[in-house]
Structure formats: C-alpha cells, structure tokens
Amino acid sequence: MTKTTTTASAPVLGVRALNRATLARQLLLRRAPLPAGAAVEHLVGLQAQNVRPPYYALAARLDGFAPERLSELMAAREVVRIVTLRSTVHTHTAEDCLTLRPLVQGARERELGQFRKGLDGVDLDRLTALVRELVEAEPRTMTQLRAALGARWPDADPQALGVAARCLLPLVQVTPRGLWDRSGQVALTTAEHWLGRPAAPSPREGDTAALEATVLRYLAAFGPASVRDTQTWAGLTRLRPVFERLRPRLVTFRDDGGTELFDLPDAPRPDPDTPAPPRFLPEYDNLLLSHAERARVVPAPYRGRNARGNQAHRTLLVDGFLAGLWKPEGDTLVIEPFGRLTRDQRRDVTAEAERMLAALHPGASYGIRFGTVAGG
C-alpha cells in the first residue's frame, strides 16, 4: 500500500477534535495537579521573550500554581532561560537546556548567514573562545559583550557580533532575571557553567535518536500534528525522514484539508464536544505558535489578531478557541472579546479571571472590566 493510499484512508479529525486533543496535551482542558518543573518538562519549555509569560502560562494549566514555585526552580538552577526553538527565548528544565540546545545548534549557526557582511574578517572560533572566557569569568550583559568584541574586531558590525555570540554559544540568562517580581537585566553565561555539567553533543549527521525522541515529545504536548507543524515548532527543516522512521510507532489521521497528521497511539483525543473552560494565556504562548496550520485554535475570522508585527498580545480562549485579548490597566484587568459573549460565557470568563488574579496576585485587589469589542 502506498503512502498516498494510506493517507487517503486515514480517519479525519475535524477542527474541534484537533482543538480538544491539543488542549488536553497542553493541560488546558483540565488543570493538571503537576509540579511546575514537571509541567515545563512535559510542555518541552515555555516561550519566554518577556519575564511574566511563563508564569501566566503555568497559572492557566496547573492546579494550585503559585508563581514562587517557578521562581524557586529558576533560583535553584533547575530551570533556565535560553534561546532554543525558533531562535526565541524559552524557559526550559536544566536537562532540556542541555539536550535541546545542541539539537538546534546547527540552525542557530545558520542564522549567521544573514549577518555575513557584518562579520567580515571575524574569526568565529576565536570569537566563541573569547565570549566563553568573558561570560564564564562573570555574567555579562549583551552591551558589555558587544563592547568587548568590538574592541577586538572594531570594523565588525556590533549587532552581528552580539548575534554571533548568542548563536555560537548556549548562553543562559542568569538570575535574578526571570524571577517573579524580582527580575533584573539580562546577564549571560554559558549553560555548562551555570548548570555545572556539560551539554549533550550536537547530533552528528545520521544520528537521529535525539530528533526522534524530540518529535515524540512534541506529539505528546502538541499533537496530532503534521510534519510541517513540527518543523514550525522546532524551527528545523527536513523532518520528513524522521517521521517515516517513526511511522510504525505512530498512528495517522487527516485534517479537513487532507493533510496527514501523526500521533502517539495512546495519546488523549477527547470527544470534540468535551467542554473547554475559558483560559487566559500570555503573549507568545506556544499553543498559538507551534503549528503551521493554526485553525485548531485560531478561527479564520480572527487570524492574525493575536499579534501585531512581532508583538504578540495576551489572549483569551473561550470554548477552546481564540476569542479575544486581555490586558492589565493599573488595578483593573480589561477583557476585550472579538465577538459578543453570552451571559454564561461572561460569567465563566469572569470567574476564570478572578481565579488567575488570585493565583498570581494573592491579597491584591483587582477590578475586572469588559472593554469595547476588539477591532481588527
């Protein structure tokens, strides 16, 4: 039987079925009684360009979460902030930091092609050694690194030198950066130095075990998913051969457009009519960024409305789908739905807002206001 025939005969998962399956994997259908570190591991990290999003992401997903739990893990160096997937800052467990960053190291190095002119005449091996020496002597800000590198290569572009440092070495943001209500400026050192142990070696060509393990973890947290979905999440290309090797261990489906989807045989795929409570998600939440086809979360009329340019907005889910935005304004949480909410929906959204505020800001007094329906 050919692959085309197999795909054509695979069961179809509609948008709501995919939505409920993904929400279940993302711990958004029902809050999980997990420790913060276990949740960060299961989710294969939390996107974290800003400090607070990982805390809001876990508050939406975990039963009894308090922000101190994540701060404690970060202070103990059990989780770290580092550039990994899609060349963006993620909060990862220490173990994932030391294994995922080598997995995407080749992609990070290929980024330097965009800065080739600014690095003309720069010995990248020497730059790598110098940056390691500097940041392992003491954590450095990117401004300090650019200045030191600029003194060594005065004709190079300072921005390109900073990008080279970030791409060539696994640089973690040291605490207090990332701590709840105590965050400082970004200062960097190497992951190995901060965590006190070496990183895994970067996979050699033909060594696929690490890639296969990562694909299986992605499906556990984001599936069912296509090859393109996985590539979008990881920021990697040419993953089709990895899926073909894994095919005997997976089950396959189709989406409404006929795209082949892969999944773990025993992963949860709830009934499409399973209730999905409202959830308040932070900007850059991976739920909205980790698939090439995002209709499972973002209805077609609202496509593109959760971000403007490179700036993502805080998002509201109602019935499992993107339904509006939210923002703090002083001591008030402002909720801006895209469409009209029913009386029951407004009640449930208000209750969820109160729960989130109580979890993240215990003892504080906040108002909740529904703003004008957000425009396009």
Side-chain angles (χ1 to χ4, degrees):
M1 183 181 294
T2 66
K3 189 182 80 172
T4 301
T5 303
T6 303
T7 302
S9 62
V12 173
L13 292 178
V15 170
R16 286 186 66 87
L18 289 173
N19 174 271
R20 290 331 195 234
T22 307
L23 292 180
R25 320 288 172 90
Q26 283 286 298
L27 315 180
L28 289 166
L29 203 55
R30 297 180 185 86
R31 285 193 181 82
L34 288 176
V40 173
E41 179 183 12
H42 167 73
L43 296 165
V44 205
L46 303 166
Q47 191 153 326
Q49 279 98 319
N50 299 330
V51 168
R52 293 202 165 195
Y55 293 91
Y56 282 97
L58 292 180
R61 291 168 164 89
L62 299 184
D63 185 28
F65 174 74
E68 293 78 14
R69 301 291 84 81
L70 183 59
S71 278
E72 289 164 357
L73 293 173
M74 197 164 291
R77 308 189 188 189
E78 294 180 38
V79 302
V80 297
R81 295 167 55 85
I82 183 172
V83 172
T84 53
L85 308 167
R86 305 186 300 278
S87 195
T88 55
V89 178
H90 275 67
T91 295
H92 284 298
T93 64
E95 186 64 29
D96 279 349
C97 166
L98 294 171
T99 55
L100 282 176
R101 174 56 193 246
L103 191 69
V104 300
Q105 183 59 37
R108 299 293 71 78
E109 292 174 5
R110 286 190 290 275
E111 286 182 58
L112 294 182
Q114 305 171 42
F115 298 88
R116 190 175 296 109
K117 287 186 178 180
L119 295 170
D120 188 39
V122 176
D123 182 333
L124 295 182
D125 289 336
R126 176 59 188 144
L127 181 145
T128 301
L130 179 56
V131 172
R132 183 182 293 277
E133 179 183 331
L134 288 167
V135 300
E136 292 187 351
E138 62 177 295
R140 311 280 178 150
T141 67
M142 189 55 74
T143 299
Q144 291 171 328
L145 275 180
R146 284 193 292 259
L149 297 174
R152 174 63 180 81
W153 291 284
D155 296 329
D157 175 58
Q159 181 189 5
L161 291 171
V163 171
R166 178 179 66 83
C167 288
L168 293 171
L169 279 171
L171 299 178
V172 299
Q173 300 181 2
V174 306
T175 53
R177 181 69 176 177
L179 301 183
W180 183 254
D181 285 343
R182 290 176 49 205
S183 188
Q185 65 179 334
V186 175
L188 304 162
T189 190
T190 63
E192 299 95 333
H193 185 71
W194 186 245
L195 298 175
R197 57 189 192 273
S202 295
R204 294 172 294 181
E205 188 169 348
D207 179 8
T208 62
L211 271 174
E212 290 174 8
T214 302
V215 165
L216 294 175
R217 290 184 65 193
Y218 169 74
L219 293 176
F222 294 92
S226 68
V227 175
R228 285 186 62 238
D229 289 331
T230 315
Q231 292 178 163
T232 296
W233 167 76
L236 299 174
T237 58
R238 302 176 183 175
L239 292 184
R240 169 64 68 179
V242 178
F243 277 88
E244 293 304 328
R245 284 189 293 272
L246 289 171
R247 185 180 288 275
R249 300 167 57 184
L250 302 175
V251 292
T252 57
F253 301 92
R254 290 176 292 147
D255 66 14
D256 287 334
T259 299
E260 185 176 36
L261 305 173
F262 294 85
D263 204 7
L264 305 175
D266 298 327
R269 288 179 288 276
D271 187 290
D273 293 327
T274 302
R279 293 290 185 258
F280 288 85
L281 299 182
E283 64 270 34
Y284 305 112
D285 195 281
N286 274 337
L287 175 72
L288 280 77
L289 299 172
S290 299
H291 299 88
E293 173 49 65
R294 296 169 185 173
R296 70 179 66 196
V297 179
V298 181
Y302 303 153
R303 192 172 298 150
R305 292 176 66 176
N306 61 301
R308 177 167 294 181
N310 290 328
Q311 179 58 51
H313 301 305
R314 302 173 185 90
T315 53
L316 168 68
L317 303 184
V318 175
D319 189 31
F321 293 89
L322 174 66
L325 310 177
W326 63 275
K327 59 185 176 183
E329 286 188 355
D331 60 359
T332 301
L333 179 71
V334 180
I335 301 166
E336 298 179 334
F338 292 146
R340 302 294 176 186
L341 300 180
T342 66
R343 179 180 300 178
D344 286 348
Q345 287 173 333
R346 286 172 67 95
R347 180 200 63 213
D348 292 346
V349 167
T350 300
E352 175 64 14
E354 291 171 344
R355 195 214 61 82
M356 175 187 70
L357 292 169
L360 292 173
H361 307 283
S365 178
Y366 280 86
I368 298 171
R369 176 170 62 85
F370 284 85
T372 304
V373 173

